[in-house]
């Protein structure tokens, strides 16, 4: 190419650039952001500036040629701020107002002993016996005091002192939620689950059980429930083994809540059926304690054991042989007045001439029946 041609080409390019700056861009109808107006122009009229990537321009091919063939980046879209998500929390039902009937003068007393877990159980039992004038519920509660923590007096001494005051028919104990801590033995500290720790804790549980049984009172010990977290759940199951062993050895009643508060898959769950069969939140958000429906459910299981001792219902007879409360017989026998209508009561002594009289009274064998299983005769 000759020099004259290069000059002509340069002049044409310069004119094209100048024309580009003077010609406005044409935006497609309805396309937002294709052009922007600047109101502060010298002539007072708005100046329209072409926007790369928006609308169509007649000299777009030449502009891309002089820019090296690169397309301008599309305009950045402004992102709307994300709306905060609402956290829906299901509020656990609050304890209802209980309208309790006045208790009779000879009402029997259920004493609930223990920590914060026992406090909720006591309120659940109060609701359970609200319409039962013959049973009242009292409590001896220290919400943050377990068997490990030092206190004056400790739980065994405190229970013994309360029972000396009389007027207690059944003792219900629920302790241990705060006992996963180290102990001091002969000036040496022993960590939770160490052999030395086990030795100390076994003695503490035994002393607490003895404080009730030495006072000749029936004992119902409520085990710890399953809780959230595998480590804590394992620890609570471990503690329950101590309670169950010492309580049942002393002829007390151990209430095992474990299976009642697990899911069908055997896992921890905060929800379940309440005493009315409705699905409710039974556990608090910390995965440790119970909501009001949960405590009512715990009280329901405990109430079944108390019924064995206090004899709720006309068909349940309770006897202490020789006045010893350490021996509990649950006969379940019914008198003539307590039987169902039309039901015959078998006589205590078989009538004379009957097969029962021949076997039991006379001591003679019953006649053999050929082919029956007790027919040992040899057939030929």
């Amino acid at each position: 190419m000759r020099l004259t041609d290069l000059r002509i080409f340069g002049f044409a390019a310069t004119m094209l650039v100048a024309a580009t700056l003077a010609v406005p861009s044409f935006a497609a109808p309805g396309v937002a952001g294709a052009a922007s107006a600047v109101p502060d122009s010298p002539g007072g009229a708005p100046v329209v500036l072409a926007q790369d990537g928006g609308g169509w321009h007649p000299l777009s091919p030449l502009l891309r040629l002089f820019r090296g063939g690169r397309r301008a980046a599309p305009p950045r879209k402004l992102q709307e701020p994300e709306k905060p998500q609402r956290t829906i929390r299901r509020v656990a039902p609050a304890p209802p107002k209980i309208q309790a009937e006045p208790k009779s003068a000879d009402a029997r007393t259920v004493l609930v002993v223990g920590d914060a877990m026992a406090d909720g159980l006591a309120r659940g039992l109060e609701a359970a016996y609200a319409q039962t004038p013959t049973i009242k519920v009292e409590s001896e509660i220290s919400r943050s005091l377990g068997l490990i923590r030092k206190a004056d007096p400790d739980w065994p001494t405190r229970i013994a002192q309360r029972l000396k005051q009389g007027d207690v028919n059944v003792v219900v104990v629920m302790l241990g939620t705060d006992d996963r801590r180290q102990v001091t033995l002969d000036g040496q500290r022993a960590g939770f689950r160490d052999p030395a720790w086990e030795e100390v804790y076994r003695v503490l549980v035994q002393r607490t059980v003895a404080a009730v049984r030495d006072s000749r009172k029936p004992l119902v010990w409520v085990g710890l429930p399953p809780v959230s977290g595998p480590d804590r759940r394992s620890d609570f199951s471990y503690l329950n083994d101590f309670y169950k062993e010492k309580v049942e050895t002393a002829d007390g009643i151990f209430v095992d809540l474990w299976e009642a508060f697990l899911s069908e898959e055997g896992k921890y769950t905060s929800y379940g059926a309440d005493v009315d069969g409705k699905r409710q939140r039974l556990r608090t958000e910390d995965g440790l304690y119970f909501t009001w429906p949960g405590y009512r459910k715990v009280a329901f299981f405990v109430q079944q054991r108390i019924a064995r001792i206090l004899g709720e219902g006309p068909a349940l007879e309770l006897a202490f042989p020789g006045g010893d409360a350490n021996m509990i017989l649950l006969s379940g026998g019914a008198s003539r007045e307590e039987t169902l209508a039309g039901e015959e009561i078998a006589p205590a002594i078989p009538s004379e001439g009957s097969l029962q009289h021949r076997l039991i009274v006379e001591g003679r064998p019953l006649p053999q029946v050929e082919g029956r299983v007790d027919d040992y005769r040899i057939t030929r």
Side-chain angles (χ1 to χ4, degrees):
M1 184 179 289
R2 295 179 297 178
L3 179 61
T4 304
D5 295 335
L6 291 175
R7 290 176 179 176
I8 295 173
F9 182 80
F11 177 77
T14 303
M15 295 302 293
L16 287 175
V17 173
T20 301
L21 298 177
V23 177
S25 63
F26 297 92
V31 178
S36 61
V38 181
D40 298 333
S41 61
V47 176
V48 179
L49 301 179
Q51 302 294 319
D52 292 335
W56 175 84
H57 196 283
L59 301 179
S60 296
L62 290 175
L63 290 175
R64 288 198 297 270
L65 176 62
F66 286 99
R67 290 174 183 170
R70 295 178 299 174
R71 287 183 176 269
R76 179 179 299 176
K77 295 181 180 180
L78 297 178
Q79 296 181 355
E80 296 182 0
E82 295 183 0
K83 297 181 180 180
Q85 297 181 355
R86 295 179 58 187
T87 302
I88 301 176
R89 292 186 178 182
R90 298 181 181 181
V91 180
K97 294 183 179 180
I98 305 299
Q99 299 293 334
E101 292 187 6
K103 303 300 181 180
S104 60
D106 58 347
R108 290 162 292 181
T109 301
V110 175
L111 178 64
V112 181
V113 176
D115 51 21
M117 195 83 76
D119 188 20
L121 169 59
R123 291 185 285 112
L125 287 174
E126 289 174 357
Y129 291 116
Q131 305 301 318
T132 307
T134 57
I135 298 178
K136 60 182 179 180
V137 179
E138 296 182 359
S139 58
E140 190 76 24
I141 302 296
S142 288
R143 296 182 59 87
S144 60
L145 181 61
L147 294 176
I148 291 293
R149 298 186 63 178
K150 293 182 178 180
D152 190 16
D154 58 7
W155 275 118
T157 304
R158 191 170 172 178
I159 293 173
Q161 292 176 351
R162 175 61 182 85
L163 294 180
K164 286 181 180 179
Q165 301 175 10
D167 192 31
V168 173
N169 300 92
V170 181
V171 179
V172 179
V173 177
M174 195 172 189
L175 280 168
T177 58
D178 199 35
D179 282 347
R180 298 184 306 152
R181 57 179 68 237
Q182 63 184 6
V183 298
T184 302
L185 178 64
D186 298 331
Q188 300 294 326
R189 293 183 177 181
F192 179 64
R193 288 196 181 217
D194 289 345
W197 186 96
E198 292 183 354
E199 180 182 351
V200 173
Y201 199 73
R202 188 173 287 108
V203 172
L204 291 174
V205 175
Q206 185 174 4
R207 287 185 55 211
T208 306
V209 171
V212 179
R213 304 303 283 151
D214 291 348
S215 299
R216 303 170 68 86
K217 302 294 182 183
L219 170 63
V220 177
W221 192 299
V222 184
L224 298 176
V227 291
S228 63
D231 292 340
R232 186 167 59 175
R233 189 161 54 250
S234 174
D235 292 342
F236 276 24
S237 176
Y238 166 77
L239 293 175
N240 280 340
D241 293 339
F242 289 92
Y243 311 144
K244 181 178 177 64
E245 174 193 356
K246 295 302 179 183
V247 170
E248 293 184 347
T249 300
D251 295 326
I253 298 176
F254 180 77
V255 181
D256 192 347
L257 301 175
W258 204 261
E259 297 295 333
F261 289 95
L262 290 177
S263 66
E264 294 181 356
E265 295 77 18
K267 298 180 180 180
Y268 171 83
T269 176
S270 297
Y271 293 86
D274 62 3
V275 292
D276 297 322
K278 299 179 181 179
R279 181 173 174 79
Q280 297 274 12
R281 185 182 183 95
L282 304 179
R283 311 301 295 271
T284 52
E285 292 185 357
D286 59 6
L288 175 60
Y289 296 101
F290 292 95
T291 61
W292 171 248
Y295 279 121
R296 279 291 289 114
K297 188 172 182 177
V298 175
F300 171 80
F301 292 111
V302 177
Q303 187 182 13
Q304 306 307 307
R305 307 311 196 276
I306 295 176
R308 299 182 183 181
I309 300 172
L310 298 183
E312 289 184 350
L316 183 64
E317 295 179 1
L318 181 68
F320 293 123
D324 185 6
N326 292 320
M327 297 295 295
I328 301 177
L329 297 181
L330 303 175
S331 63
S335 63
R336 289 180 179 271
E337 292 78 14
E338 296 166 348
T339 56
L340 299 177
E343 181 182 359
E344 296 182 358
I345 302 176
I349 300 177
S351 58
E352 188 174 356
S354 65
L355 294 178
Q356 293 87 345
H357 188 275
R358 177 178 178 176
L359 175 65
I360 300 174
V361 179
E362 299 178 8
R364 293 189 297 163
L366 295 176
Q368 293 181 342
V369 178
E370 184 176 355
R372 199 170 61 182
V373 69
D374 60 346
D375 183 13
Y376 298 107
R377 292 173 297 179
I378 299 177
T379 58
R380 295 180 181 178

